[in-house]
Amino acid sequence: MIVVRVSPVAVPPCLTVDGLAFERVTNQTKKVDDSVRLADLLRQGQTATSESERKARAAAAHFAVDYVCALGGNLVASLVRQLGGSEKHI
């Protein structure tokens, strides 16, 4: 299992249960009623999600390569021992 920590942003937008959007701006909470601004917030969220997914996949791939390399090294050493050889000659 791989756990990836995603840091929260300092001033996230907020969506209410009835679909209203709010964001923090200069010490106040402001309702987002401009469709262009709402679209921009949506794009920022999608970008953050994509970046988090990319980083998670990269971390998983790195872990998988390390695991397979370690496993491969152990398998080679085990085979050499089974064949009566010495690991010093690997």
Side-chain angles (χ1 to χ4, degrees), residues 1-52:
M1 177 171 83
I2 296 174
V3 177
V4 177
R5 181 175 178 260
V6 178
S7 301
V9 294
V11 286
C14 173
L15 296 176
T16 64
V17 293
D18 54 350
L20 298 175
F22 292 86
E23 67 176 323
R24 289 289 293 165
V25 290
T26 318
N27 297 326
Q28 64 182 12
T29 301
K30 182 179 172 185
K31 181 180 172 188
V32 179
D33 52 10
D34 177 34
S35 61
V36 174
R37 179 64 184 141
L38 190 57
D40 185 47
L41 289 170
L42 177 61
R43 268 190 301 280
Q44 288 176 22
Q46 290 170 333
T47 299
T49 298
S50 296
E51 185 64 13
S52 295

Side-chain angles (χ1 to χ4, degrees), residues 73-85:
N74 289 338
L75 287 175
V76 169
S78 176
L79 287 171
V80 168
R81 281 194 302 272
Q82 288 177 17
L83 296 173

